[in-house]
């Protein structure tokens, strides 16, 4: 049992590190209203392993606390990713629909955060739509590329 727990923690840690590193490396497009955060593409991993959920949450927290939004973005953005990943995990039997849970959670929470917490002078619905567009690109484009490979190899990885 400890081996499985250790593997779970190690998998979550690697996913967290990948998320944070990818977000920070691509920081010019990872933050703001129009954001294409390709690290959100790692959400596809929640279809294959429950360790992806805490891994993506922690990775998002680290990336956001080090980003321009600070602790506020770390709290709200990480909550959005956590809720989205829980949705992906919950509906994983319908993978392409499940990934949309992350798009919705981030669009609503981050969109409202940008409008009301960071006082962005924009209609809240427009904020949510911009976040949804970036999130859709960030989640589905990488998923189209890596999901077929994960379908064949996830047993070796997780």
């Amino acid at each position: 049992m400890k081996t499985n727990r250790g593997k779970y923690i190690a998998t979550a840690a690697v996913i967290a590190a990948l998320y944070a590193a990818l977000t920070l490396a691509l920081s010019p497009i990872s933050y703001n209203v129009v954001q294409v955060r390709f690290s959100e593409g790692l959400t596809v991993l929640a279809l294959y392993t429950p360790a992806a959920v805490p891994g993506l949450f922690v990775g998002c927290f680290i990336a956001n606390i080090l980003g321009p939004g600070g602790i506020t973005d770390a709290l709200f953005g990480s909550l959005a990713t956590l809720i989205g990943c829980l949705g992906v995990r919950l509906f994983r039997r319908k993978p392409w629909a499940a990934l949309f849970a992350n798009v919705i959670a981030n669009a609503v929470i981050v969109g409202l955060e940008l409008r009301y917490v960071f006082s962005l002078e924009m209609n809240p619905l427009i904020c949510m739509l911009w976040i949804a567009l970036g999130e859709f690109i960030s989640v589905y484009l990488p998923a189209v590329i890596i999901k077929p490979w994960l379908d064949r190899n996830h047993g070796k990885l997780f």
Side-chain angles (χ1 to χ4, degrees):
M1 186 62 133
K2 288 188 181 200
T3 304
N4 289 340
R5 186 178 313 157
K7 184 177 179 182
Y8 179 91
I9 292 169
T11 300
V14 168
I15 292 169
L18 285 170
Y19 185 102
L22 190 55
T23 302
L24 293 168
L26 298 173
S27 63
I29 62 170
S30 295
Y31 303 97
N32 217 334
V33 175
V34 181
Q35 55 181 260
V36 179
R37 190 178 278 201
F38 283 112
S39 50
E40 288 286 310
L42 296 171
T43 302
V44 72
L45 298 175
L47 297 171
Y48 302 95
T49 177
V53 175
L56 292 164
F57 171 73
V58 170
C60 185
F61 186 87
I62 292 167
N64 286 350
I65 205 158
L66 296 174
I71 189 68
T72 304
D73 197 30
L75 295 174
F76 286 107
S78 302
L79 176 65
T81 294
L82 177 62
I83 291 169
C85 288
L86 288 170
V88 171
R89 189 77 193 142
L90 181 66
F91 299 109
R92 68 186 176 276
R93 295 197 194 286
K94 299 209 181 272
W96 295 109
L99 291 171
F100 205 66
N102 201 54
V103 173
I104 294 169
N106 276 278
V108 172
I109 295 170
V110 175
L112 292 175
E113 172 195 9
L114 288 172
R115 171 58 184 98
Y116 294 109
V117 176
F118 292 109
S119 301
L120 190 67
E121 294 297 324
M122 186 180 283
N123 180 303
L125 184 58
I126 301 299
C127 281
M128 289 187 273
L129 289 173
W130 277 116
I131 295 295
L133 176 62
E135 194 70 21
F136 185 83
I137 293 166
S138 301
V139 169
Y140 281 91
L141 184 62
V144 165
I145 295 167
I146 64 173
K147 187 178 178 317
W149 183 82
L150 286 168
D151 286 341
R152 290 188 307 273
N153 296 294
H154 76 275
K156 299 173 194 170
L157 299 170
F158 308 113

